[in-house]
Amino acid sequence: MLLRAPTVWWFWRAERKLQQFFSGCPGGDTNWILSAKIECDRNNRSTTLSQPSHVTDMLDRFGMSNSNGVSTPMQKGIDLKRETDLPDLPHKELVGCLLCLSQTTRPDMAQAVALLSRFSACYGVQHYKQLKRVPRHLRKFPNIKIRHQSMEKLHAFTDSSHGDCKLSRRSTSGHVIMMR
């Protein structure tokens, strides 16, 4: 179990309550959980999450370790259509890896991954080519981190484009939640 509290007093209090129900001993500071690297700065009361090893492993797995990096995860104005002949490409595996990253520590590529994952059942070579642009973005920026600092205010923003999918007329929406 991973526990984080605003002050040491709250941490000890929660730890004592948990020890009433669970056996075990405290393990000290956590540096990694699943594939996320955790960096705590007690002086600034902040926690930083990143997944550099997951990015490196994914690039190796899909043979993109030496690819050229790109500054954006998706090209502007791409127009993808459903395909009926599915090529033998690791499209779904790459989508899964990218979804894991985009939902944990890399929201910078969430929009591109969400859009390209719509074609997981009807993809073609062009879809896979566009999907491979996202790891190339990761290749250029492998060490982007998410930082949370105590006592920050919550700011939420949302936007949508109604009926932007030319195939199904479905809408795309998104949100950003920031703590400042």
Side-chain angles (χ1 to χ4, degrees):
M1 179 180 295
L2 186 63
L3 183 64
R4 184 174 190 271
T7 64
V8 173
W9 182 83
W10 280 104
F11 180 83
W12 286 334
R13 182 175 177 212
E15 185 179 44
R16 273 187 255 118
K17 287 280 191 189
L18 288 169
Q19 285 175 347
Q20 292 175 359
F21 299 101
F22 303 102
S23 62
C25 61
D29 290 343
T30 304
N31 296 321
W32 291 87
I33 185 165
L34 300 175
S35 65
K37 182 179 179 183
I38 303 171
E39 300 171 60
C40 295
D41 183 355
R42 286 187 173 77
N43 294 333
N44 292 324
R45 299 180 67 183
S46 68
T47 303
T48 306
L49 297 173
S50 63
Q51 289 181 293
S53 62
H54 188 71
V55 170
T56 305
D57 292 346
M58 185 194 59
L59 290 170
D60 290 341
R61 179 178 172 189
F62 293 100
M64 300 184 70
S65 297
N66 297 322
S67 61
N68 295 328
V70 294
S71 58
T72 60
M74 193 166 75
Q75 290 177 337
K76 183 180 176 184
I78 60 168
D79 186 25
L80 298 173
K81 305 214 180 324
R82 291 186 175 131
E83 299 285 337
T84 53
D85 297 330
L86 301 181
D88 188 23
L89 297 168
H91 186 274
K92 291 180 184 179
E93 292 86 351
L94 184 54
V95 166
C97 288
L98 294 172
L99 280 171
C100 177
L101 275 169
S102 69
Q103 293 174 357
T104 52
T105 59
R106 296 300 298 259
D108 58 319
M109 59 182 209
Q111 171 66 24
V113 175
L115 181 83
L116 294 166
S117 68
R118 290 181 184 175
F119 297 96
S120 289
C122 53
Y123 65 90
V125 175
Q126 186 64 24
H127 298 89
Y128 190 66
K129 183 179 175 185
Q130 291 297 326
L131 188 63
K132 284 179 70 172
R133 183 178 173 92
V134 181
R136 289 177 56 210
H137 172 69
L138 294 173
R139 172 89 168 103
K140 185 166 185 171
F141 305 105
N143 296 317
I144 291 180
K145 303 175 181 183
I146 290 183
R147 182 172 166 257
H148 172 265
Q149 190 166 4
S150 296
M151 310 310 270
E152 294 177 331
K153 292 183 180 178
L154 186 69
H155 297 272
F157 303 92
T158 184
D159 192 16
S160 61
S161 57
H162 299 285
D164 68 333
C165 180
K166 294 176 183 174
L167 299 173
S168 65
R169 302 306 300 161
R170 290 186 179 162
S171 301
T172 300
S173 62
H175 62 274
V176 174
I177 300 173
M178 300 186 324
M179 300 179 89
R180 295 190 208 176

